[in-house]
Every structure is written in structure tokens, then in C-alpha cells.
Amino acid sequence: LYLLDSQFREPTSLTASIRGGVRLLFLLPVRFEPATRHERFFVDSVRVATLTVVAVALTHLVASVVGTPGHDAQRRIVAGILERHGRTGLAHFHLLDDKNWVISDDHEAFVGYTVVGTSAVALGEPVGAPGSRDQAVRRFLELCALNAWTPVFHQVTGAGCETLAAHGLRVLKIGEEAVVDLASFTLDGRDRKQLRSAVRRCERAGYRIVDLPHPLDDAHLARLAEVSDAWLASGGHRERTFTLGRFDPGYLRETPVVAVVDDAGTVWAFANLLPPYRGRDASFDLMRRRPDAANGVMEFLFVSLIERFRRDGYSGMNLGLAPLSGAGTGD
């Protein structure tokens, strides 16, 4: 600006030029009025260049804050690792669209995570081949250090705790997984009286369990959406993420769905079944019902799933985290 003083309508000093240059860089108005089209082009080009730098910087900043987006190629790598090494009830939730992934160089292990405030919360422990999990953890911790995130691993198994402790992380027990022992489960006994009554009540109402077509077509999705919308509207329910899925057509088409229907074909409740991968415990995710369904419909669905999983040869049915169970016991 100082060297191009003759190109402006009014003369300028070195101090005024420095001040004007700073204002230009911050996209603020300046008092310089170009006298030629060349100088007008120069001033406009500085503004355009500044905007470009800001746009590029914001792009990198957003990527730094939210992590690397889970692109389809990465998701396919993660899905392959889960097929080979997934064992816990959380495995399938790594594929939900709220996750980012840090993948080892050999594509044999990963850490799935999401950023919450200033913390990067990983879902469970690193998943993958034993020789690759340590590298996935190191890369995740390096990413956290780069972005000043606090690394957190949520719902880690005993074996996972040992792996992470070797990297300097501390263990805090927040609960235990609730797993139904399918081999010993029975409806007999005084303590199961209410459960037996709920099942019989639903059977008298004409309810039965059916497998919906897999993958779901639009008509069946619409029927399930009615149930889900009614469930969300009652009792203050809301959609959750991270360790649970949400009602999403794409997600539901990926998993088998079991429904409670009556003789008219009305869907009164449903649950989607999650793949166990290499695990021995079966699990489900969404479990929703109509508010006006017969009392006990969820118990009816619950017992039906137990019988189904037992027939399929699973050893347990994973009900997810029981918060604070066993916490403070020193186990």
C-alpha cells in the first residue's frame, strides 16, 4: 500500500499503510480509495486471498475438532475388522454414523470414537488383531494430544483394561454388563410369576412374534415408524446415540427385525437384532412399543428373544450396561 501510494486518490504514510494493511487482512473497511482499476484489483485481491486463507483454515480446524469423517472406504475397513475380530455387544455400534475411526496402518485394528466437548470418547477397547491394537491405541492417543482432547475409553472389557493400562490409562468402574444366562433361564418359580402372567396376557390378546422381511421394504418401515413415533412421544423418550442406535431406515435395513403383531397384522412392538460377530452373546438394540399395547408386551418380546437366541445356540443375551452395578466394590 505504501509503495503504491500514487495509485490512490489521497497520499498515505508508512504508518497509515501498515494500519490499512492490517485492516485489509481482517476484512475491515479501509480509507484508501483506489484511483486506478489496477489498485482496485490489488485491494480486492487481498480480500479474496484473505477469505481463501480463512476458508482453508476453518476447514482444517473443523477436521481437527470433529476428527476424520467416517468415509465409506473407512467404514468398509472397520466392517471387515469387526467380521474378523468383533466380540462384544458394542461391536455393531462402531458402524453408526456418529463414529470416527483411527485405523492401524495394516488395517487390522481400529479405535472408534466421537468427540464430546474436549473429550474424545472411544467406544469400548481397540478392536482388531492382537499385534495391531497397540498401534491403534497409540495413534488415537497421539490424535488426542494433537487436539488437546482428553482420551476416554467407555465400556471396556477386563482384557481391554489390561491393554489400555499398558498405555498409561487408569480404570474407573462405572457398572457392569447385564447378560442373561440362556441355559439357566426359566419362567418357573415364584419370582417369575409376573413374567409368566405378562406372557399369557399377550397370548390371550392374540399377539405373536414374527420376523419381518430382511431387508425391510418401505411399507414395513412405515409400520415401524408409527410404533417408534408413538413411543418417542410418550413418557419423555428420546433418541440416543453412541452405545445405542436410533430409528433410521438405513440402519434398520442392515439388521433383522422381530415384531409383535396381532391377527390383523398391526405391529405393537419390535426389536432389531444385532450381529454377534465372533461373540457368544446375542444382543438387540431398539426395543419399542405402542403406548396402548397390552400390558406386558415388552416382557412378551423379551422372553421370545431369549427363546430364539437359546435355539440359535447362543450362551447369553446382552442387555447392555447396568450403570453403577458393582461400582466401588474393588473388582
Side-chain angles (χ1 to χ4, degrees), residues 198-214:
V199 172
R200 291 168 183 165
R201 190 182 306 115
C202 290
E203 290 174 342
R204 288 194 298 270
Y207 290 174
R208 68 183 191 279
I209 302 293
V210 298
D211 290 338
L212 298 184
H214 179 60

Side-chain angles (χ1 to χ4, degrees), residues 8-276:
F8 294 104
R9 295 191 185 280
E10 297 180 8
T12 182
S13 64
L14 179 59
T15 302
S17 297
I18 293 174
R19 187 182 302 113
V22 172
R23 293 182 65 84
L24 268 181
L25 291 176
F26 283 92
L27 301 177
L28 298 173
V30 293
R31 69 173 185 82
F32 303 104
E33 185 179 353
T36 68
R37 64 184 182 88
H38 298 291
E39 187 55 29
R40 185 174 293 107
F41 172 79
F42 171 75
V43 172
D44 291 343
S45 67
V46 172
R47 292 193 173 108
V48 171
T50 301
L51 283 172
T52 302
V53 171
V54 169
V56 172
L58 285 175
T59 301
H60 286 283
L61 179 62
V62 169
S64 173
V65 170
V66 305
T68 304
H71 298 299
D72 290 342
Q74 291 178 303
R75 192 177 190 273
R76 287 193 293 271
I77 293 171
V78 169
I81 296 172
L82 290 174
E83 290 290 345
R84 298 188 295 275
H85 302 286
R87 295 186 181 278
T88 72
L90 298 174
H92 196 66
F93 297 126
H94 282 291
L95 298 177
L96 299 184
D97 59 8
D98 64 336
K99 304 297 187 303
N100 299 311
W101 307 294
V102 172
I103 302 173
S104 62
D105 292 338
D106 61 2
H107 293 179
E108 285 297 328
F110 72 91
V111 172
Y113 71 97
T114 190
V115 177
V116 182
T118 58
S119 298
V121 185
L123 180 62
E125 61 235 53
V127 181
S132 304
R133 290 197 292 261
D134 281 334
Q135 186 194 65
V137 175
R138 284 195 301 270
R139 292 191 60 183
F140 175 68
L141 296 179
E142 290 169 359
L143 178 66
C144 290
L146 179 65
N147 292 284
W149 295 333
T150 300
V152 179
F153 288 81
H154 177 69
Q155 283 189 244
V156 179
T157 67
C161 287
E162 295 179 4
T163 299
L164 297 174
H167 290 270
L169 277 76
R170 294 180 291 111
V171 177
L172 174 66
K173 188 166 185 177
I174 60 172
E176 297 175 337
E177 281 191 324
V179 180
V180 178
D181 183 358
L182 299 181
S184 63
F185 180 84
T186 177
L187 287 177
D188 298 334
R190 180 179 300 177
D191 59 337
R192 300 292 167 84
K193 180 179 179 179
Q194 291 185 341
L195 198 55
R196 290 196 302 272
S197 298
V199 172
R200 291 168 183 165
R201 190 182 306 115
C202 290
E203 290 174 342
R204 288 194 298 270
Y207 290 174
R208 68 183 191 279
I209 302 293
V210 298
D211 290 338
L212 298 184
H214 179 60
L216 293 169
D217 56 31
D218 290 342
H220 283 93
L221 276 170
R223 295 166 67 194
L224 297 183
E226 289 181 8
V227 178
S228 181
D229 290 345
W231 180 82
L232 288 169
S234 67
H237 297 129
R238 63 183 177 86
E239 295 282 19
R240 301 177 185 272
T241 55
F242 197 64
T243 58
L244 291 172
R246 66 180 188 274
F247 191 94
D248 175 76
Y251 169 60
L252 286 174
R253 284 192 169 104
E254 292 180 347
T255 59
V257 177
V258 176
V260 178
V261 301
D262 60 15
D263 293 336
T266 301
V267 176
W268 291 98
F270 72 89
N272 68 311
L273 313 183
L274 301 179

